[in-house]
Amino acid sequence: MLTSKIANFPYKVLVTIVLILGAVLLMPACSTKPPGGNDSALHPLKAEMDTGCYQREGSDTQNWHWCGAEGEILITNPGTSERKIALEGMFGTQLDPGTLTIEGGGVNSKLEVEHKGVVWKSEIAVKPGETQIHLRCDCKQVIAPKDPRAMFFKIENFQYREVDNR
């Protein structure tokens, strides 16, 4: 059997001790959380237009979602801790103005929307799971004879990002 020159320990025992000490000493360095925590890197937040809203139209730089008289933004936090998300977009109507109510997930606001559009920004805390933000507009339906959809308001260039909690 091979032995080390250090205290005549068997070689396998010495290797085992070195590996265990190395693992114990390196463990804190390997387990430190990246900025924003492991949830951010492993389980990114997601926000999307959902029930009552149609698929995105347009391009990556200029896009929009039409919604019925009511719509929803669905935020998904697949992680295990509460995190913050920033939401942004521009709400508008075809021609006639209306009042858009935005409620849920800690948001409670009313916007006077029109055809030019009104910028909306909100930063909210989201618990693990799903958070719904309900949208309701009293504006008139869009007149589009060749489009069978019930369109009332739209959100242009909807985007989101996680906000650093530090």
Side-chain angles (χ1 to χ4, degrees):
M1 176 191 308
L2 288 175
T3 59
S4 74
K5 293 182 181 180
I6 304 172
N8 263 348
F9 275 166
Y11 180 74
K12 289 182 180 179
V13 172
L14 184 60
V15 169
T16 303
I17 291 170
V18 169
L19 288 174
I20 290 172
L21 283 173
V24 169
L25 293 174
L26 291 175
M27 194 178 311
C30 294
S31 66
T32 54
K33 292 182 178 181
N38 281 333
D39 272 358
S40 298
L42 298 175
H43 309 288
L45 294 174
K46 183 178 180 183
E48 58 190 341
M49 302 307 295
D50 201 49
T51 305
C53 297
Y54 298 99
Q55 293 294 318
R56 188 181 92 160
E57 299 176 64
S59 66
D60 287 340
T61 56
Q62 181 62 37
N63 56 72
W64 58 92
H65 293 265
W66 279 105
C67 299
E70 295 186 21
E72 186 176 272
I73 298 172
L74 179 64
I75 303 167
T76 306
N77 177 357
T80 58
S81 60
E82 183 176 277
R83 294 148 68 189
K84 285 187 180 178
I85 192 169
L87 305 167
E88 182 176 340
M90 184 163 53
F91 285 104
T93 62
Q94 182 185 33
L95 294 173
D96 297 322
T99 302
L100 177 71
T101 304
I102 307 168
E103 297 176 315
V107 177
N108 188 2
S109 56
K110 290 184 186 280
L111 297 176
E112 296 303 317
V113 294
E114 52 162 319
H115 71 282
K116 292 180 185 177
V118 176
V119 173
W120 174 73
K121 295 180 182 183
S122 186
E123 192 174 290
I124 64 170
V126 287
K127 293 180 178 10
E130 293 183 342
T131 301
Q132 294 147 340
I133 298 178
H134 303 282
L135 311 169
R136 192 172 57 255
C137 191
D138 65 2
C139 56
K140 293 181 181 175
Q141 185 172 346
V142 172
I143 306 299
K146 295 182 180 181
D147 193 333
R149 299 178 293 174
M151 302 177 291
F152 286 76
F153 67 95
K154 65 180 174 178
I155 182 168
E156 294 182 46
N157 298 323
F158 176 69
Q159 55 190 322
Y160 66 92
R161 66 178 170 76
E162 185 164 354
V163 177
D164 194 358
N165 287 323
R166 288 183 280 155

